[in-house]
Amino acid sequence: MTESDAPEGRRLHRQRVFKGASILTGVTNSEIKCVIRNMHKDGAELKVSIDSRIPPEFLLYVPVDGIAYEAVVRWRKEDRIGVQFTGTKPKPSWHYG
């Protein structure tokens, strides 16, 4: 798929992946487990529990990569959310993983 073949609004091809990750919300140091379904350097599609309350901005920690991405929700549909990465941060010291 080239950039011009991508669905409207999607500028970069997303690589399919299957990575476990954690949505970290600093409010109460809470963690929501999720799976990254596809991603590229600027964002990702996450599969989350349909009952999860996902804040509009959060830190997405990917243990296998050792990276914590600052993420902003761009769309939601049932148990999937699309996020845009706005930067990276060190893993929070309170997170055990």
Side-chain angles (χ1 to χ4, degrees), residues 44-85:
E45 178 184 328
L46 311 177
K47 181 174 171 68
V48 297
S49 168
I50 201 160
D51 299 331
S52 297
R53 291 188 173 175
I54 309 297
E57 296 182 16
F58 55 84
L59 201 59
L60 179 68
Y61 179 58
V62 186
V64 297
D65 295 343
I67 297 174
Y69 296 95
E70 294 174 311
V72 176
V73 174
R74 291 295 178 210
W75 59 265
R76 298 173 193 242
K77 185 174 181 182
E78 298 177 6
D79 64 346
R80 310 277 171 128
I81 61 172
V83 297
Q84 178 182 2
F85 299 144

